[in-house]
Amino acid sequence: MQAIRYIIFLLLGLGAYATVRAQGLVIRNYNVKDGLANATVYGAVQDPEGFIWFATPTGVSKFDGRRFRNYTKKDGLTDNDVIKLAADSRGRVWFFTNNGKPSYYYRHTLHNEENDTSLRFNSRSHYMQYAFEDRARAVWFLNTAGRIVQYNGRQLIYDKLGAKQTDVLWLLSKDSIFRPLQRYFNLQAVKDSNNVSQKIFLTPPYPVTDPEFADRIRKFPILLSGNVAYSYTSGELIPFLKGAEWGIQEEMSSICTDRNNLWIGTQRALYYIRDFFKGEKKVSKLLDNHYVTGILNDRDGNIWITTYGDGVYHIPFKHFYFGYLDNTNGLYSHSVYSVFKDRRNGLLYIGENAGMLNTMDRNGTISRLSLDSTIGRNSVFGILPLPKGEEVVIGTDNGIYEYSPGTRRLRLLYTMRTIKDMDITPSGRVLVVSRNRLLNGLEGKNVTDLSGLETLVSSISCIGDSAYYLGTGAGLYYSSGGRPPEPVRGDPRLGLSIKDMQWINGYLWVGTSDEGIFVLKDNEVVRHFRTSDNLVSDICQQLYYDGKDRLYVATNRGLSVIDARERVLVRNITSNDGLMSDDIRGLCHYGDTLYVATSNGLCYFSGDHIPVDTIPPTVYLNAIRYADSTFPPKPHFSHLYQRRGALEVEFGAIAFDLPELVEYQYNFSGDTLSGWVTTMSNIVPYPRLLPGDYTLLFRARKYKSDWSPPVSLRISILPQWYQEWWARGILVILGLLAILLILRYIVGRIKGGEKRKTEYNRRIAELEAKALTNQMNPHFIFNSLNSVQHLILEKEEKQALNFLADFATLMRQMLNNSRKSYISLEEEIAFLARYLELEKIRFANSFVYKFDLSTELKEYTVYIPPMLIQPILENAVKHGLAPKNGSGHLLVRLEMHGDLLYCAVDDDGIGWEHANNIKSGKLAKHESTALSVIKERLQIIKSFNGSVGKLEIIDKFKSGFGNKEGTLVEILIPIVKML
């Protein structure tokens, strides 16, 4: 929000002791800190769209009421020092610079000779001074050399009219051809030697109150020469304002007509003559010690004053309907507590803090009366007229006074601390209440102690000579016939804190501290006004009845007007409408004028004719941003799709009064029936916008205005080549081909896997076959058969049969297990035990064996590859235990090591090294082949499922087992375990 400085200026100089003749205006100042290009401003112009343009030494500023957009040479100006501006009927804003090269702004583009060949021109070191437009809307310029230049849209042409040397009066005299693009002209002399038929008057032949003469002044050019202003036509030159006669001694630098008002700018001040065309003779001096360079009256009625070094001053149109008084133009301070307009003599009473009472007569003369404030702040909270004479009763915090305007005598009637309110009975008796006392009559003889109410009194309302209501912090009380006040029972809402009351035609209006207003009839609530009913605030500070049908409610957020007869809310008035503050403390109505006392001064205006700006603002497109680039605002935006490109549309509204309250609405569907999005932001972001055609509608409204007609922006996000249908078709085909290739690859991988699996199985089968051959070698079979033969010869037929049966079972079990990849550990142990039993028979029970299983193995069902342990047992029995003298021992220990089975085959035979020494070469080869097969099987299993097996042979005598003999073979076997 722009920083706005509110300054109250004196319209007349201060007079003698405590007397001032004044009326204030609220003026806003815009300066560099608000975004203006420079504090020195040469002039201002409004273009057809409604923007205000300001010419400065460092470029031009375009203003929409909220934001300044500055343009310099970098943006297309021919020079930064812009001395004049002109707006033609085609919507172009022309910039006059010291280098003489013309340039203009049109439809968001600055045109100059570099980007517009029609503006190429040899200025011959002379710059443009004035601009005119003919009936064909061609623009004509007059430069400092007195040469005329025409611009027809195609080129700039010198002296097309044949006038080799001329001045502005010559162009003005051709008023049937040319229309000046400025309202006034500063000239050294006003006599046109080429126009001898023109009548020049020394005194005006018509009064300015003549409607025809006033219209002529407003319509035709004004010439300023010295401190005299002339109304110019080619036939007559009439002076209508002589500065010396109005106390204006300086030369006039600028002038402006505004309805019936006249503004005059000089190098020392700004002068304002309100109702000049109605015959008003008072001039007001504003902006003292300011060099006024130009005055603009825009099409909304706002006044813009450009200055040399002090920025731009703005007076909103609505402030001309308001009068303001504060400590800068007549009052003692800006804090006003009460106001009363006496109908009997037209005297206006203004009560302030510190016991200061101001009076203003019909002529606007303000006088001050100081009341006693030695015992406290003693603010003047109320003023009531006495029924007889012209005296008034003045209520302050600490006393009651009587003032006689005829003698200007002020008399203290009664001293009482913390006075809160006073009222007059129908017979004219004044009742005064403090927080805990009631004064009945100004004689001071009848005082009632109210401390028994056990609450603080805030207000009183008389409904008869002996009946009244009291408002307190604990609710409503009633008294009649001299009886003590009693609380009004019934509705619990009547127990709320009360600030003020008014008795109107049999109804009691009660203003509360935070619950709005209650309307009572016969002590029953018949109406309740709150903020939900559009009351401006629920905190009521004072109620004022105008005696007709209007009740005015003063609150902390403005003023509400209620029709007391119909009991309906009429309207709300706040600082947005022109009040000096929303903190309203008191009110008074006189004729059609409403006086409002606020914490920031006194404001008065016609209560029934407050201007309401219902005209919607002009809405414009400011910028379009897409994919980190900014584009000129055009009705149709088209761009190639960007993957991470966010669209952002910035728009604005031209509103010079309360621009911070402008609301915006937008609709992205192009269908107004689908609803609008309301926002206070003027930027619409769309982070992700897919290719397609869109329509963005946006509109705005000012404070209390209607919505503007929607402005449409068509947006086309064009697809990239890969988003086109043909590209998508190609992509689909390529995708299908890719899928086919992937499927082919997958099938090939599967086939390769199957092939490798087949090869693996083949190799496993070969190895298993080798394992079978190595496990059950011919020696074992041959020796087993010899053992059977021996048993038969020894007539041990039964034992021989049992041996053959066990041998057959072992062979069948071996063949069955060899066909499986995995068998259970129980099956493997059963197979190994049967094998060892046969070996014991064959070797005449020369050894004993034992299987030792860990506890963890008993909790799972474990599967292992078959025929890995048997060759190790065979080696242990045949080469370790069999050659040993005496009985041997064989221990098979099985444990769980993660996902591996640890198997230790421990014998106490002759040992690995000793056995190798006595073995024949053939046997050694046989053994090494059996062990290598086991290692190869472990390696194959690793390549298949990733589990790592291990085989290690330890000669205990050689490996640190003390004097123990024998061999320890350790093997880690990959397993599958299940609960």
Side-chain angles (χ1 to χ4, degrees):
M1 178 179 176
Q2 299 165 351
I4 300 177
R5 297 185 297 175
Y6 287 88
I7 308 171
I8 310 296
F9 292 92
L10 299 180
L11 292 182
L12 290 176
L14 291 176
Y17 170 73
T19 302
V20 83
R21 186 186 299 269
Q23 180 189 20
L25 283 174
V26 174
I27 304 180
R28 300 176 180 176
N29 176 251
Y30 296 97
N31 218 306
V32 175
K33 64 182 181 61
D34 304 302
L36 190 65
N38 198 295
T40 294
V41 185
Y42 298 132
V45 71
Q46 186 174 30
D47 66 19
E49 289 185 272
F51 292 100
I52 306 292
W53 293 79
F54 301 103
T56 80
T58 53
V60 293
S61 295
K62 183 176 72 169
F63 188 47
D64 66 355
R66 192 168 186 175
R67 300 172 184 84
F68 287 92
R69 169 69 167 94
N70 298 322
Y71 298 88
T72 63
K73 286 184 68 175
K74 292 181 179 180
D75 303 296
L77 289 180
T78 59
D79 188 12
N80 284 337
D81 192 3
V82 181
I83 55 178
K84 278 188 179 182
L85 300 168
D88 63 24
S89 62
R90 295 181 183 271
R92 296 173 294 201
V93 179
W94 292 89
F95 310 115
F96 299 172
T97 58
N98 281 324
N99 62 11
K101 296 181 179 181
S103 60
Y104 67 86
Y105 178 90
Y106 182 65
R107 292 185 178 178
H108 314 289
T109 303
L110 270 167
H111 295 254
N112 55 44
E113 63 180 3
E114 293 183 3
N115 60 17
D116 189 341
T117 57
S118 67
L119 294 175
R120 291 179 180 173
F121 176 70
N122 183 5
S123 64
R124 302 175 187 177
S125 301
H126 298 288
Y127 60 86
M128 307 299 184
Q129 277 190 304
Y130 305 104
F132 292 78
E133 191 174 66
D134 62 21
R135 293 179 180 178
R137 299 200 293 174
V139 182
W140 300 76
F141 303 99
L142 179 67
N143 67 11
T144 52
R147 303 292 294 274
I148 296 175
V149 180
Q150 183 206 20
Y151 179 72
N152 57 16
R154 299 181 300 275
Q155 60 180 336
L156 285 160
I157 306 172
Y158 258 122
D159 302 329
K160 188 176 180 180
L161 295 177
K164 298 298 183 182
Q165 187 77 24
T166 187
D167 58 17
V168 69
L169 291 174
W170 185 87
L171 285 168
L172 287 172
S173 67
K174 310 299 181 183
D175 53 9
S176 61
I177 302 174
F178 301 111
R179 179 182 67 86
L181 297 184
Q182 63 188 89
R183 283 286 294 122
Y184 60 88
F185 298 83
N186 293 86
L187 303 175
Q188 294 295 324
V190 295
K191 185 176 180 179
D192 185 1
S193 58
N194 296 316
N195 187 6
V196 294
S197 62
Q198 184 187 46
K199 294 181 181 180
I200 301 177
F201 292 85
L202 298 179
T203 58
Y206 324 103
V208 292
T209 54
D210 184 324
E212 292 185 4
F213 185 46
D215 288 342
R216 166 189 161 142
I217 296 173
R218 298 188 190 98
K219 181 179 179 182
F220 290 95
I222 296 174
L223 306 186
L224 300 179
S225 182
N227 67 348
V228 180
Y230 297 87
S231 174
Y232 179 91
T233 65
S234 59
E236 294 179 334
L237 185 66
I238 302 175
F240 65 90
L241 177 72
K242 296 182 178 180
E245 297 177 356
W246 292 81
I248 304 174
Q249 303 303 325
E250 316 95 79
E251 290 188 3
M252 300 180 189
S253 59
S254 53
I255 195 167
C256 177
T257 58
D258 164 35
R259 295 178 293 273
N260 290 315
N261 310 318
L262 189 67
W263 300 81
I264 303 101
T266 72
Q267 296 183 11
R268 297 293 301 276
L270 172 70
Y271 295 91
Y272 170 51
I273 306 175
R274 185 163 187 165
D275 293 331
F276 172 78
F277 294 107
K278 288 186 176 181
E280 178 62 54
K281 297 299 181 182
K282 292 187 296 186
V283 63
S284 301
K285 189 177 183 180
L286 299 160
L287 300 180
D288 198 10
N289 295 320
H290 284 66
Y291 187 158
V292 177
T293 58
I295 307 171
L296 171 67
N297 178 24
D298 69 22
R299 61 193 186 195
D300 293 327
N302 303 298
I303 298 296
W304 302 85
I305 304 103
T306 59
T307 67
Y308 194 94
D310 292 293
V312 176
Y313 290 91
H314 171 222
I315 305 177
F317 78 98
K318 66 185 179 185
H319 290 298
F320 295 106
Y321 296 86
F322 290 82
Y324 302 100
L325 289 174
D326 71 352
N327 58 331
T328 67
N329 59 354
L331 299 186
Y332 174 75
S333 74
H334 64 272
S335 183
V336 180
Y337 282 88
S338 58
V339 61
F340 168 68
K341 180 79 170 183
D342 199 332
R343 303 175 187 274
R344 299 168 297 187
N345 51 31
L347 199 63
L348 180 67
Y349 294 86
I350 306 164
E352 300 184 82
N353 60 356
M356 189 61 65
L357 178 69
N358 303 272
T359 62
M360 186 171 72
D361 60 21
R362 289 188 175 95
N363 296 321
T365 301
I366 297 177
S367 301
R368 297 177 190 158
L369 297 169
S370 181
L371 308 179
D372 183 18
S373 60
T374 57
I375 57 176
R377 66 174 191 170
N378 211 30
S379 300
V380 180
F381 68 81
I383 305 165
L384 292 176
L386 289 174
K388 298 179 181 180
E390 293 186 343
E391 288 75 19
V392 295
V393 177
I394 300 167
T396 70
D397 291 329
N398 301 309
I400 303 296
Y401 296 81
E402 180 185 79
Y403 176 70
S404 176
T407 60
R408 301 190 64 182
R409 185 171 63 91
L410 185 69
R411 181 166 64 96
L412 176 63
L413 298 178
Y414 190 80
T415 300
M416 186 165 60
R417 292 293 185 92
T418 63
I419 297 176
K420 305 303 292 182
D421 195 14
M422 58 184 183
D423 199 6
I424 298 180
T425 66
S427 62
R429 193 168 184 81
V430 179
L431 274 66
V432 182
V433 291
S434 69
R435 289 187 174 183
N436 52 18
R437 288 193 296 170
L438 168 65
L439 174 65
N440 193 336
L442 299 178
E443 301 83 6
K445 299 177 181 179
N446 190 356
V447 179
T448 303
D449 186 3
L450 301 176
S451 58
L453 300 181
E454 297 183 353
T455 183
L456 300 179
V457 179
S458 59
S459 58
I460 185 170
S461 180
C462 299
I463 63 172
D465 289 333
S466 61
Y468 58 86
Y469 283 97
L470 291 180
T472 75
L476 184 65
Y477 284 75
Y478 175 72
S479 174
S480 65
R483 290 188 295 272
E486 294 182 355
V488 177
R489 306 292 183 183
D491 197 317
R493 292 176 291 181
L494 300 180
L496 297 171
S497 177
I498 296 173
K499 294 290 291 184
D500 198 15
M501 299 178 295
Q502 281 288 334
W503 178 260
I504 305 174
N505 300 327
Y507 290 87
L508 182 67
W509 295 71
V510 180
T512 68
S513 297
D514 55 6
E515 287 294 332
I517 299 172
F518 293 99
V519 185
L520 276 65
K521 178 69 172 178
D522 298 329
N523 292 339
E524 296 290 335
V525 177
V526 297
R527 185 76 165 87
H528 187 192
F529 292 89
R530 291 165 292 186
T531 52
S532 57
D533 305 302
N534 290 326
L535 193 70
V536 71
S537 174
D538 285 332
I539 301 175
C540 301
Q541 302 190 139
Q542 190 188 57
L543 302 180
Y544 173 79
Y545 179 56
D546 67 357
K548 298 178 182 178
D549 57 3
R550 288 288 189 269
L551 177 74
Y552 298 90
V553 184
T555 78
N556 64 321
R557 292 185 177 179
L559 171 66
S560 288
V561 184
I562 296 176
D563 187 325
R565 182 177 302 172
E566 301 295 333
R567 295 185 292 281
V568 294
L569 184 68
V570 177
R571 67 171 301 175
N572 294 321
I573 306 172
T574 68
S575 58
N576 293 331
D577 299 295
L579 297 182
M580 300 181 77
S581 169
D582 285 328
D583 183 14
I584 313 300
R585 295 170 172 177
L587 302 107
C588 177
H589 191 272
Y590 180 78
D592 65 346
T593 302
L594 185 65
Y595 298 87
V596 182
T598 77
S599 59
N600 201 34
L602 179 72
C603 178
Y604 54 97
F605 53 92
S606 174
D608 297 327
H609 299 91
I610 298 177
V612 179
D613 188 5
T614 58
I615 300 175
T618 299
V619 183
Y620 65 93
L621 184 62
N622 191 45
I624 302 172
R625 287 178 280 272
Y626 186 65
D628 299 327
S629 299
T630 302
F631 302 89
K634 295 182 179 180
H636 183 211
F637 172 74
S638 180
H639 199 279
L640 275 175
Y641 171 77
Q642 299 291 326
R643 185 169 177 267
R644 295 186 179 180
L647 176 70
E648 189 176 84
V649 180
E650 180 180 343
F651 46 85
I654 301 175
F656 301 115
D657 185 39
L658 303 173
E660 66 277 3
L661 297 183
V662 171
E663 287 184 296
Y664 299 95
Q665 283 188 340
Y666 63 90
N667 179 297
F668 203 62
S669 66
D671 179 14
T672 57
L673 298 178
S674 63
W676 295 82
V677 178
T678 304
T679 178
M680 297 298 290
S681 173
N682 66 324
I683 296 177
V684 178
Y686 288 94
R688 297 175 182 176
L689 206 59
L690 296 176
D693 294 325
Y694 306 90
T695 300
L696 174 63
L697 301 176
F698 53 91
R699 61 184 184 179
R701 70 175 176 187
K702 296 184 289 188
Y703 176 68
K704 291 188 177 181
S705 81
D706 296 327
W707 289 103
S708 65
V711 175
S712 176
L713 171 64
R714 290 183 297 113
I715 301 170
S716 295
I717 303 299
L718 305 177
Q720 295 282 1
W721 66 268
Y722 56 82
Q723 294 174 313
E724 298 284 358
W725 66 267
W726 52 268
R728 291 181 177 179
I730 293 175
L731 289 175
V732 169
I733 294 173
L734 292 176
L736 292 174
L737 291 175
I739 291 172
L740 291 175
L741 291 175
I742 292 171
L743 290 175
R744 183 178 179 182
Y745 172 77
I746 293 172
V747 171
R749 287 289 302 272
I750 293 172
K751 288 182 177 180
E754 291 292 334
K755 184 176 180 181
R756 287 193 298 275
K757 186 176 180 180
T758 302
E759 179 65 19
Y760 167 77
N761 291 333
R762 185 185 65 79
R763 292 186 63 192
I764 287 294
E766 290 177 356
L767 290 171
E768 287 175 347
K770 292 179 182 179
L772 284 172
T773 302
N774 289 308
Q775 289 179 76
M776 298 299 177
N777 55 60
H779 296 285
F780 169 72
I781 297 172
F782 177 78
N783 291 334
S784 296
L785 294 176
N786 283 339
S787 297
V788 172
Q789 182 182 15
H790 175 74
L791 290 173
I792 294 172
L793 292 175
E794 294 293 329
K795 306 298 182 177
E796 298 285 345
E797 293 88 353
K798 183 177 181 180
Q799 189 175 1
L801 291 175
N802 290 335
F803 184 91
L804 285 174
D806 289 338
F807 180 75
T809 301
L810 178 66
M811 295 300 293
R812 185 166 50 253
Q813 190 173 3
M814 180 185 66
L815 290 172
N816 288 335
N817 291 345
S818 66
R819 296 189 183 97
K820 299 177 182 179
S821 297
Y822 286 89
I823 63 173
S824 68
L825 184 59
E826 290 81 357
E827 291 176 324
E828 180 72 5
I829 292 174
F831 170 77
L832 296 176
R834 184 168 282 109
Y835 167 75
L836 291 174
E837 286 295 330
L838 289 178
E839 290 285 55
K840 283 178 66 178
I841 295 172
R842 191 163 72 89
F843 290 104
N845 293 312
S846 62
F847 69 92
V848 293
Y849 68 89
K850 179 182 178 183
F851 288 90
D852 185 8
L853 276 72
S854 65
T855 306
E856 188 179 4
L857 284 172
K858 300 176 181 178
E859 297 176 357
Y860 297 91
T861 299
V862 177
Y863 294 86
I864 66 172
M867 302 177 193
L868 283 176
I869 302 175
Q870 188 274 333
I872 298 173
L873 294 181
E874 181 181 349
N875 279 338
V877 173
K878 183 176 180 180
H879 301 291
L881 296 175
K884 180 180 178 180
N885 295 322
S887 178
H889 295 83
L890 178 65
L891 174 63
V892 180
R893 190 168 71 254
L894 299 170
E895 297 176 359
M896 183 81 74
H897 285 190
D899 290 332
L900 297 172
L901 177 67
Y902 171 76
C903 177
V905 179
D906 189 357
D907 67 74
D908 59 355
I910 64 174
W912 177 260
E913 186 174 348
H914 189 192
N916 282 334
N917 291 332
I918 65 174
K919 284 189 294 185
S920 65
K922 181 178 179 182
L923 287 177
K925 182 179 180 181
H926 166 75
E927 280 188 26
S928 62
T929 302
L931 293 177
S932 66
V933 169
I934 294 174
K935 292 179 180 180
E936 190 173 353
R937 287 190 65 192
L938 290 175
Q939 188 64 32
I940 292 173
I941 293 172
K942 174 185 175 183
S943 66
F944 185 73
N945 60 12
S947 298
V948 180
K950 179 183 177 183
L951 175 65
E952 186 176 0
I953 303 172
I954 302 170
D955 190 317
K956 290 193 290 183
F957 185 79
K958 297 289 186 179
S959 300
F961 283 81
N963 295 322
K964 292 183 179 181
E965 293 183 343
T967 305
L968 174 64
V969 180
E970 294 180 331
I971 182 171
L972 288 174
I973 305 172
I975 63 172
V976 177
K977 62 181 180 179
M978 299 178 62
L979 290 174

